[in-house]
Amino acid sequence: MKLFSSSILAFVFACFASSATAAVTVGHIENGTVGEFLTSSGAAVAAGGVSIGIFTDGGGTPITVSDSAVASATSFADLVALGYKDVRSLSGATAAGGTDWDFPSPVSGSYNSIAISALPAGTQLYLLAFNAGSFVSGAPSTSFAGATEWAVIKDTGDHLSPADLGTKSLLLNTVIASDILVGADKGNNVTMASLAAIPEPSRALLGLMGFMALLARRRR
Amino acid sequence: MKFHLPLVLLGAALLTAPAVLGQATSGVMGFSTLNCPTGTTLVVPTLVNPSVFQGQAAISADGLTITPTTAPGWAAGAYNATSFSAPTPNYPRFYAEVVSGTNEGLILDILSNSASELTMASAVIPAGIRGTTVQIAIREHVTLDKIVQGATGLTAYADAANLFGPTGATITRIFDGSSWVAGDYTTPAGHSVIYPGSGFSFSAASTVVFSFMGEVKPTKTKVPMYQAGVNIVGNLNPASALLIYGSSFKEALSPYADGFNRFSADGNMTTLGTYFSDGAQMLDGAYNPLAPTATDSVPVNRGVVVSVSADAVVTLNSPLAP
C-alpha cells in the first residue's frame, strides 16, 4: 500500500514538474573584439550568413556525425541530409529583437525559448558560415544557395548547449585550430575555405594524360 | 500577475553601537511577499536572518579559521554545521560575512566554533584575504524551512523546489506538508540552504504565496556564479526590482560570452529577455546596448538564470546603501 501511495505521489510530482516551459538561449556575435568570419582571402564577408545547429536523427535526438562527413559536404542540403538542424528550426526558437545572423557584419543576436527537449544540455553545437544566401526557414535544404565558401566550427570545449533556462553565446575567440573542421584559424578570426567540390586527383591526372596523348598524336 | 509587495519596516533603528564590541546589532527588518502561480517560478529571497555577531576578526594565514580580535564569548558549537547521519544531507547553519572593505559581501560558511574561534567549512577565498583582519557579521542561513514559514497554498508532495549546485547537479526538494524532503520523498531536507542573492526554481501545484520576513541586508552581497551550474541570481532588495541597465552584472559577466535570461512570472517560465555585457554596459539579446530608459528588470524576490563561461562573482549593492 505504501509503495502504491509513493508511486502515485511520484506520478503526480512528475506530471507537475514538467508543466513549466523549459527553454534555453543560443547567441552569436562577431566584432573586432571577439572575432569574425572572413573570406578565404581574409576580406570581410559581404553576403551569406551564419548557421548554428546540431545533428539529430529522424526523431530529433542529437546524434554524432563524423567530422569527415561534415567537412565533405558541398552544400547546406548535404548537411541537412546528414541530420543538421539550425537552431532556428528547433521548437520554440524565438529571435530577440534586432537579431541578425546575415553578412555583412555586424552579425549579432540570439534565439531564446528553444525547448530544452529539442536542445538537451551539453549537445555539441556547430557554428557555420557561408558566403552567399541565407537560412531559409521552412525549407532549410535550400539555405545558403550559391555559397562557394564556408567555414565549420566544432568547438568541443565551449560550444555546448546550455543547461535548462541557460544561455550560450558562441564566440570565435574561444576557437582553436583543432576546432575548425573547415576553414582556418586567424587569431580571433576564422577564414572560410572553398565549398565547391574539388576534382579528384585521379580524374585530373587522366585528363592531363589524355591531353598529352592528343598533343603527341598531332605531332606525328 | 499581481505583485504583493508591502515592505514593512519593523525596526527602523540601525543601532550605532561600535561593532568592535563584538555584539549583534539589529538592523532594518522587512516583510515581503511573493505570489507564485501554478507552474514554475524562480524564487530569490530578498531578506536575510539578523546578524548574531559583528566585529573585527583575523583570518588565519591558511584561511581555515577566523578569530575575533575581542573575545566574543560564544557558546562552543553554537554555529556548528548540521551533522546528520547519512542519507540526510548536511549543510552549514551559519555564515560569516565580510561587511566592509574590498571583500565586502563575501560569504564564508562556518563549519564549527569554539568560544573564541570559527572554523570554516573550507579555506576562505580569495586567498588574498587570508592573514588579514576584517569586519565580519555572522548570520544564520536562510533555509527552505524558513522560507515556508507563513506561506499559504502549499500542497504536500506536489510542490517542489529545485536547487542547483556548483557542479550543475539538480537537487530536488519536495514539500511534505510541514517541511521538505529529498527527491526520495523520505529523507529530511528542510535545512537545505539558500545563499544570499541565490535562489531556486519552485514548482507549485496551485497558487502559493510566500511571506518573507527578515533583515534588509545592509551591506553588499557577493553572489558566486558557476560555469557548470544553473545560477539563479536575484537582488536583495525587498522594495524594488533591479534595473538591468547599469546593474553590476555589466562588470560581472565576461564580455559577450556570459549572459542571462529573464522569465515570465505567470508560472510558464516564458523567456522575456536575454542579456549580455560588453564589459562596460549591458546588452540586449541582439547584443545591442540597453538604453538608459530600458525598464527591463529583475523582479523582486525573483531571479534570472545566469550562464557564465568561467566561474564568476556578481556583487549586488544593499538597498540601504545603493
Side-chain angles (χ1 to χ4, degrees):
Chain A
M1 183 64 180
K2 183 180 177 186
L3 180 64
F4 179 67
S5 300
S6 296
S7 299
I8 292 174
L9 290 173
F11 175 73
V12 168
F13 176 65
C15 290
F16 175 68
S18 62
S19 64
T21 301
V24 297
T25 299
V26 173
H28 174 63
I29 182 171
E30 298 180 22
N31 58 35
T33 303
V34 297
E36 300 171 283
F37 282 112
L38 303 173
T39 67
S40 59
S41 61
V45 187
V50 165
S51 171
I52 296 173
I54 60 174
F55 287 93
T56 69
D57 64 13
T61 302
I63 58 172
T64 300
V65 174
S66 73
D67 294 348
S68 60
V70 175
S72 62
T74 59
S75 68
F76 196 79
D78 286 354
L79 296 173
V80 172
L82 289 170
Y84 183 80
K85 270 193 174 178
D86 187 290
V87 293
R88 287 167 281 197
S89 297
L90 299 178
S91 175
T94 304
T99 288
D100 180 4
W101 285 359
D102 286 341
F103 295 115
S105 292
V107 169
S108 68
S110 59
Y111 285 81
N112 58 36
S113 304
I114 301 169
I116 189 75
S117 57
L119 186 55
T123 302
Q124 179 67 58
L125 291 161
Y126 288 77
L127 175 58
L128 316 178
F130 298 85
N131 71 340
S134 59
F135 177 71
V136 181
S137 178
S141 61
T142 64
S143 301
F144 304 106
T148 57
E149 292 191 345
W150 71 325
V152 180
I153 311 294
K154 181 188 176 187
D155 184 342
T156 56
D158 190 72
H159 292 180
L160 304 175
S161 59
D164 195 7
L165 309 179
T167 303
K168 182 64 210 176
S169 188
L170 280 71
L171 304 178
L172 289 175
N173 60 2
T174 66
V175 172
I176 56 176
S178 58
D179 297 330
I180 302 173
L181 303 187
V182 177
D185 187 13
K186 300 291 181 186
N188 281 347
N189 300 326
V190 173
T191 55
M192 296 184 183
S194 176
L195 176 61
I198 300 169
E200 293 176 25
S202 57
R203 189 174 295 178
L205 189 61
L206 281 172
L208 183 63
M209 288 171 64
F211 181 70
M212 295 296 287
L214 183 63
L215 279 179
R217 186 183 173 91
R218 285 173 66 101
R219 281 183 183 171
R220 281 201 298 270
Chain B
M1 192 193 68
K2 186 179 178 184
F3 231 126
H4 299 284
L5 188 65
L7 173 65
V8 181
L9 303 182
L10 301 176
L14 271 168
L15 299 186
T16 55
V20 291
L21 296 180
Q23 65 189 51
T25 61
S26 58
V28 176
M29 301 299 288
F31 176 76
S32 183
T33 60
L34 174 65
N35 191 333
C36 299
T38 301
T40 301
T41 300
L42 299 181
V43 179
V44 179
T46 49
L47 298 164
V48 296
N49 286 317
S51 64
V52 295
F53 171 85
Q54 284 195 33
Q56 291 281 335
I59 300 175
S60 63
D62 62 5
L64 289 171
T65 60
I66 296 179
T67 308
T69 53
T70 302
W74 292 324
Y79 307 139
N80 282 6
T82 63
S83 56
F84 297 111
S85 302
T88 301
N90 286 303
Y91 289 95
R93 289 171 50 238
F94 287 83
Y95 61 94
E97 181 188 3
V98 179
V99 294
S100 64
T102 55
N103 288 297
E104 179 180 342
L106 193 63
I107 305 293
L108 309 168
D109 279 326
I110 298 170
L111 177 65
S112 62
N113 75 286
S114 66
S116 59
E117 184 179 85
L118 303 174
T119 299
M120 313 315 292
S122 59
V124 301
I125 49 174
I129 198 174
R130 297 173 193 167
T132 67
T133 296
V134 294
Q135 182 83 10
I136 65 165
I138 296 177
R139 298 178 190 276
E140 187 169 9
H141 271 299
V142 170
T143 63
L144 286 176
D145 276 346
K146 164 84 175 177
I147 283 170
V148 296
Q149 289 174 5
T152 59
L154 286 161
T155 305
Y157 298 108
D159 292 349
N162 274 339
L163 288 62
F164 301 96
T167 61
T170 300
I171 303 158
T172 298
R173 300 293 184 239
I174 301 159
F175 184 68
D176 69 358
S178 59
S179 181
W180 300 78
V181 291
D184 61 2
Y185 289 84
T186 54
T187 302
H191 55 297
S192 299
V193 164
I194 310 300
Y195 284 86
S198 298
F200 57 93
S201 70
F202 175 70
S203 298
S206 58
T207 299
V208 171
V209 178
F210 289 111
S211 298
F212 302 119
M213 200 159 93
E215 184 177 331
V216 180
K217 201 159 179 296
T219 53
K220 294 177 181 176
T221 304
K222 290 187 182 297
V223 183
M225 302 179 292
Y226 301 100
Q227 185 269 331
V230 174
N231 304 290
I232 299 174
V233 180
N235 199 25
L236 283 151
N237 186 338
S240 60
L242 173 69
L243 278 177
I244 293 172
Y245 173 82
S247 70
S248 51
F249 281 110
K250 65 181 184 294
E251 295 98 10
L253 301 179
S254 177
Y256 303 108
D258 300 347
F260 62 82
N261 282 329
R262 183 170 63 95
F263 299 94
S264 66
D266 59 1
N268 292 322
M269 292 290 287
T270 303
T271 306
L272 296 181
T274 299
Y275 305 89
F276 302 97
S277 166
D278 64 5
Q281 56 189 337
M282 292 303 298
L283 312 176
D284 64 15
Y287 297 87
N288 295 318
L290 278 182
T293 54
T295 57
D296 307 45
S297 62
V298 182
V300 176
N301 286 319
R302 303 180 192 278
V304 293
V305 177
V306 186
S307 299
V308 291
S309 52
D311 291 355
V313 174
V314 61
T315 302
L316 303 172
N317 288 330
S318 163
L320 301 179

